[in-house]
Amino acid sequence: MIAPSILAADFARLGDQVRAVDNADWIHVDIMDGHFVPNLSFGPDITATVDKITGQHLDVHLMIENPEDWVDAYVDAGADCLIFHVEATDDHIGLAKKIRQKGIKAGFSVKPGTPIEPYLADLEHFDLALVMSVEPGFGGQSFMPDQLDKVRALRQTIDEKNLDCVIEIDGGISEHTIEKSAEAGCDAFVAGSAVFKKADPRAAVTQLRELATQATHH
Ligand code: DX5
Ligand code: ZN
C-alpha cells in the first residue's frame, strides 16, 4: 500500500493534489499539535475536507498529546485508521479498544528512540503498526535505516502468530529507500516529498508501488 502524505502537498491546491493521487491506496493525514512535536499542521476540519474530496481510505497519524480526547473528532472527520503514538498515552491497549469500538482501524506508532519490543505482545489489539523512520514533526528528512530492525521484529511476530496487523513505515521513503523497507517486511509506505514534490505525483505513486512489489517478491 502506498500512502501519500498531504503534509508535502501544495495546500493552496489541496483538492487538486489529493485528486492527483487517486491511484494511491490510502491518503496519509499528519496531525501535529505543536506540543507532542514542535510543528503544527492541521486538525479535524482539514481532515473532513480531504474526506469530502476523496473516497480513499484516510490514514490519520496523530502526533498529538492526549490522543484519547480526539478520537471522536477524527472518527467524525472520516478517519478510516487512527494511529496514535505510544509515547503520548499510558494506556495504549485501552485507546486501541476505544478506537475499534467506533468501527475504524486502530494503529500505534513509535518514535525512532522508542523500542518496539514492549509492544510486540500487544499486536492483536492493533490493525496497524507504524514505524517512524525519521523524528516525527517534519517532512523531507533523511531515512533512518536502523529503524528497519523494528520492522523485522514486527514481521517475525506477526507471521509467527499469524496476526492481521499491517506494518507501515513513515519518513524519508523514496525510490531510494522503499525497496529495503519492503524487503524488511513493510506492507504500507508513507511518502510525502517523494510524491508531492515530484512533477507527476501520480507517476511517483505508481513507481513506488512497483519498486515495493518487486522487492517483496525477491
Ligand atoms: C513526519 C510525518 C510524515 C511526513 C513524511 O512527522 O509523519 O508522514 O509527512 O514526509 P517525507 O516522506 O517527506 O519524509
Ligand atoms: Zn505521518
Side-chain angles (χ1 to χ4, degrees), residues 3-8 28-32 37 39 61 63 85 109 130 132-143 169-174 190-195 197:
S5 165
I6 58 162
L7 189 65
H28 187 80
V29 185
D30 284 307
I31 310 296
M32 304 180 182
V37 288
N39 196 8
H61 179 192
M63 287 163 276
H85 269 268
S109 184
L130 176 64
M132 289 307 301
S133 41
V134 297
E135 214 46 74
F138 299 91
Q141 302 181 76
S142 298
F143 182 75
I169 191 152
D170 182 4
I173 292 295
S174 71
V190 177
S193 315
V195 170
K197 304 298 185 203

